[in-house]
Amino acid sequence: MTKLLFAASVLALSFSVQAAQDTEAVYARSCGICHNGQIPIAPARGDKVAWQKRLEKGSDALVRSVTNGLNAMPPRGMCMDCSAEDYLALIKLMSE
């Protein structure tokens, strides 16, 4: 019975996962430093053409790139307390 309740709890939590932080605030303090259009190799917020080829890689690949760092982007993209869900919300914000 205990195992069943635990499994049900884990399942319920997995369906309600969302960004834990305010996406705009995290962008302002961490992402905007590079993604504001001042650094040519970082796709600028709102640049749909630049983001399209990245989005085609899929969300798992994008989160892995942020987590591990890619090219000039440092690991975790300057947000050491971000979760995968936070990164997905940030990617969505920047790519729209």
Side-chain angles (χ1 to χ4, degrees):
M1 179 71 161
T2 304
K3 288 181 184 179
L4 181 59
L5 287 173
F6 177 75
S9 298
V10 169
L11 184 60
L13 284 174
S14 69
F15 286 115
S16 64
V17 173
Q18 22 179 257
Q21 302 184 58
D22 178 290
T23 307
E24 284 286 351
V26 175
Y27 174 83
R29 77 167 189 262
S30 299
C31 309
I33 296 166
C34 297
H35 291 278
N36 63 6
Q38 299 298 314
I39 298 178
I41 60 173
R45 180 178 178 175
D47 184 344
K48 292 181 189 242
V49 173
W51 279 100
Q52 183 59 40
K53 64 183 177 181
R54 289 162 175 87
L55 293 171
E56 290 171 359
K57 297 176 183 178
S59 58
D60 289 342
L62 290 172
V63 170
R64 241 185 339 270
S65 293
V66 176
T67 303
N68 298 327
L70 181 66
N71 300 324
M73 184 173 63
R76 305 200 60 82
M78 304 292 290
C79 184
M80 300 307 159
D81 61 345
C82 281
S83 67
E85 292 77 19
D86 292 323
Y87 292 136
L88 288 172
L90 288 159
I91 291 165
K92 181 179 179 191
L93 175 75
M94 289 188 284
S95 66
E96 293 182 336

